[in-house]
Amino acid sequence: MNTMNTSSKSLVLRGTIINQGTSFLATVDNLPLMSYGDTVEEAENRLVRQFRTWAESCEEKGLLEKTLSSAGYDEIDDETEIYLVFTDEEK
């Protein structure tokens, strides 16, 4: 049995980590998601969990594609693979 994903569509969301002195803020471009952590890894992990919960909730309501599209992420459907990639930003 082939378990490889044959989807040809993917969406890469950019997660940004901002050093705020004593903590780190993680956000996703154009989406209402953010998390804090004492380390970069903690902020990233919290945002990944928050994104999964948010995406599952939107999917259950049938709103994920519409919500992502209205945030500027077009041409997605049920077969689209979503990736969250983090970058550091100086502030």
Side-chain angles (χ1 to χ4, degrees):
M1 183 167 117
N2 184 358
T3 59
M4 301 235 358
N5 183 337
T6 58
S7 172
S8 61
K9 295 175 73 172
S10 63
L11 171 63
V12 178
L13 300 176
R14 181 175 168 241
T16 303
I17 303 295
I18 302 167
N19 184 337
Q20 297 196 309
T22 59
S23 65
F24 295 87
L25 171 66
T27 64
V28 179
D29 290 354
N30 302 323
L31 295 178
L33 302 170
M34 70 171 60
S35 68
Y36 289 91
D38 293 332
T39 65
V40 169
E41 184 177 84
E42 183 178 48
E44 287 178 357
N45 289 338
R46 286 180 175 174
L47 187 62
V48 167
R49 285 191 303 270
Q50 183 182 39
F51 175 78
R52 285 180 180 154
T53 301
W54 175 83
E56 288 170 2
S57 175
C58 286
E59 184 67 27
E60 288 172 3
K61 297 173 187 172
L63 298 174
L64 184 60
E65 289 85 9
K66 180 179 178 182
T67 302
L68 288 172
S69 180
S70 68
Y73 303 107
D74 294 324
E75 299 184 27
I76 58 171
D77 58 31
D78 288 340
E79 301 301 316
T80 304
E81 290 289 324
I82 301 173
Y83 300 93
L84 182 55
V85 177
F86 288 95
T87 59
D88 295 332
E89 182 176 298
E90 292 295 320
K91 282 220 173 175

